[in-house]
Amino acid sequence: MISLLMFAMVLVPALQSELKILDTPDGGIRPAPCAVTCSGVGRWDETGWMSGWLDSGSNSGKVYKKINLEDCNFISAPVVTVTAAAGGNKEVVCPSLTVWHANKSQFYVYSVEDTTASKMKNDQCNVYWSAFGYNC
């Protein structure tokens, strides 16, 4: 029994990982135990209000998509990274994306290169995202 306890004491620290956030959009740094990573995929075929790819009315030639972060339970805007890649067996290159208007519950991605929402859907361009922030 003692050897099992000793084994657990050695193994548990080895399994823990630490996320260290050096800066955030609001400049707030909080205790390390509050740091969390939340990630997901914004799928090309999502339905619902502003869920799919939309042509921008204000930025000609650009498309955008809303990504929901509510289930991440961030208390402030996280650091967000994104990339786009085609789903399925498509052999296409999706355009680069930029993050716009990130807050604790959502953010938008805009295409860097000119494209259309119909092309993004046809190419099955998914948004792969990671967000790093605090939950306490």
Side-chain angles (χ1 to χ4, degrees), residues 18-64:
E18 182 178 325
L19 174 61
K20 187 169 188 166
I21 300 173
L22 300 179
D23 202 358
T24 62
D26 69 1
I29 301 299
R30 292 165 185 83
C34 296
V36 295
T37 299
C38 189
S39 63
V41 179
R43 302 203 181 275
W44 67 272
D45 59 351
E46 288 176 321
T47 58
W49 188 71
M50 293 186 68
S51 294
W53 287 108
L54 299 168
D55 291 310
S56 174
S58 57
N59 297 304
S60 181
K62 307 302 181 197
V63 297
Y64 69 98

Side-chain angles (χ1 to χ4, degrees), residues 65-126:
K65 181 173 178 45
K66 178 182 171 185
I67 306 293
N68 189 328
L69 295 175
E70 288 178 353
D71 290 340
C72 299
N73 297 315
F74 291 122
I75 61 168
S76 61
V79 175
V80 178
T81 62
V82 297
T83 191
N89 294 322
K90 293 274 189 173
E91 292 186 16
V92 298
V93 176
C94 296
S96 303
L97 302 173
T98 187
V99 175
W100 181 75
H101 194 65
N103 63 46
K104 68 180 183 178
S105 59
Q106 67 187 19
F107 68 91
Y108 294 85
V109 292
Y110 269 84
S111 62
V112 174
E113 295 89 12
D114 287 351
T115 190
T116 64
S118 61
K119 180 164 177 33
M120 295 294 275
K121 293 172 187 174
N122 184 61
D123 291 348
Q124 300 181 6
C125 292
N126 294 319

